[in-house]
Amino acid sequence: MSASDPRRRTPRTDAILADPRLQAAADRLGRRTGRDVVAATLRRVRAGELAPAQAADAAVASLPEAPSSLGRVVNATGVLVHTNLGRAPLSSVAVEAITAAAGYTPVELDLDTGRRGRRGAGAAAAIAGLVPQAEAVHVVNSNAAALMLVAAALAGGGEVLVSRGELVEIGDGFRIHELITATGARLREVGATNRTHPADYARAIGPDTALILRIHPSNFAMTGFVSAAPLERLVTLGPPVVYDIGSGLLTPEPALPDEPDATSALRAGAALVTASGDKLLGGPQAGLMLGRADLVERCRRHPLARAVRPDKLTLAALEATLRGPVPPVVAALRAPYPELRARADALADKLTGAGVDARATDCEARVGGGGAPTVALPSAAVSLPAELAGPLRQGRPPVLGRVVAGRCLLDLRAVAADEDPLLFEAVRAAADRAR
Ligand SMILES: *Cc1c(COP(=O)(O)O)cnc(C)c1O
């Protein structure tokens, strides 16, 4: 092969882009994406990593599968509500609702009268239907947004009483009590780290007290010489009690008996409950506020309410989640262990047959960021060599497991049963690439 041999020359961008497979991808994903992929491929050719004749095939192979960098991944970490992986996966009806609402949609229009309608009325009605104890409901972007709005609208510059045992850091350095004071409200800590009594709150109440805030310790647990004031007592002290339950359970969940829920909290006398939409509720990222009509209305009319209003896709997905079948997070929570073990056995057998070092093993899954920090859910996994963790993470689709004692465990509790064939192919491909 001489230096002038066309097979050795770096191909031209346009020549590669003319490949019908890339043409089709560019039609779907946009010309910019096609050009970016070709440019990256040609850099590899110039660096000598790739033969010129392979450039077109390599460019096609590296086309993104999803139109954004947020494509689908398989969550085999065993953590059901994983904040780094987008928390709750949406149910298929929620996805259908998002698609339907993606175009023009009557998010603030009443089609019967032709007049302006209340934004999110459908989602609010769905929540109210499931929690009759709530006089009123309002939906915002996140639970953090709900707490911010509560502090701004209901506390103003007044005092918010919080137990020292409930000064919670929720993640990435963010703390709920700092969020509260960032609105201008003043924090008044009561009690001790391990014990707070009703009398501690009673002593702290004064003319400036705007509300009592109870925060569910959703990501840690205290044991030993501990006690918290019962909600039933707090609500008799005078100021409205706002209860941040975190996880978003609307009614008690039998699988998590210690996790608070909105219905029980309101029944016990809480004036307002705030919660996330994308934890155990199993819906999109959202913040729910439920409770006394006058308080909800003050939050709804506060200027900041406009800054934290949810978009139409969120409202559509939330309503569909609430009206639809059991969402994936709850299905994963309730999946019987024997079914998970049977799936792990079958997958391990198939992988062994394909020449992969795989075996089924028992393990423990976790609820995750959504709550119940002490609950271990009996689960089953496919155990693989730890070296496969990287190739699996970089595969298509990416598969995220956890490495324990030199093995990469693919925990099946948060993996839907219909994803097993995909998981099998992903492991086989990763093992091939690791060889
Ligand atoms: C997760 C959580 C929050 C924050 O909710 P986001 O929806 O992530 O804003 C607040 N409080 C508690 C108790 C939580 O568990």
Side-chain angles (χ1 to χ4, degrees), residues 118-395:
R118 187 175 148 190
R119 187 182 187 86
I127 299 168
L130 294 169
V131 188
Q133 286 75 13
E135 284 175 20
V137 172
H138 184 55
V139 178
V140 293
N141 273 334
S142 68
N143 190 11
L147 289 164
M148 181 191 80
L149 199 51
V150 162
L154 305 185
E159 274 182 2
V160 177
L161 307 193
V162 183
S163 161
R164 289 200 169 86
E166 298 173 7
L167 300 175
V168 180
E169 178 167 315
I170 43 180
D172 197 21
F174 289 104
R175 296 166 177 165
I176 293 177
H177 54 283
E178 291 176 353
L179 183 156
I180 300 294
T181 54
T183 68
R186 281 173 292 137
L187 186 77
R188 177 136 183 195
E189 301 175 16
V190 300
T193 305
N194 56 332
R195 291 168 74 85
T196 303
H197 309 287
D200 293 318
Y201 289 95
R203 260 197 306 277
I205 292 171
D208 283 353
T209 308
L211 49 97
I212 295 175
L213 179 62
R214 159 146 288 181
I215 303 167
H216 175 51
S218 60
N219 55 7
F220 72 102
M222 288 197 289
T223 56
F225 189 49
V226 297
S227 81
L231 185 59
E232 290 77 1
R233 292 286 302 282
L234 286 189
V235 302
T236 64
L237 298 177
V241 175
V242 176
Y243 191 178
D244 170 19
I245 61 167
S247 73
L249 289 181
L250 297 183
T251 50
E253 167 58 50
L256 301 172
D258 295 330
E259 198 59 22
D261 68 277
T263 297
S264 308
L266 292 172
R267 216 176 252 152
L272 211 55
V273 168
T274 73
S276 297
D278 53 352
K279 293 180 176 173
L280 292 171
L281 191 72
Q285 181 188 305
L288 277 49
M289 311 170 69
L290 311 84
R292 257 171 57 186
D294 59 324
L295 302 183
V296 171
E297 194 57 18
R298 272 162 67 193
C299 292
R300 212 168 71 78
R301 299 316 311 170
H302 189 275
L304 279 177
R306 174 59 193 242
V308 293
R309 71 176 193 179
D311 79 315
K312 59 182 180 173
L313 304 182
T314 299
L315 292 167
L318 182 62
E319 182 179 349
T321 302
L322 293 164
R323 297 192 190 282
V326 168
V329 160
V330 181
L333 179 70
R334 295 179 185 162
Y337 157 80
E339 278 177 20
L340 301 176
R341 179 69 205 209
R343 286 170 52 201
D345 284 333
L347 261 171
D349 278 355
K350 255 183 96 179
L351 286 166
T352 306
V356 180
D357 167 12
R359 50 183 186 259
T361 181
D362 287 339
C363 60
E364 286 180 345
R366 295 278 167 183
V367 171
T374 57
V375 173
L377 304 162
S379 192
V382 177
S383 162
L384 303 165
E387 302 73 58
L388 288 188
L392 279 167
R393 198 180 59 247
Q394 288 157 357

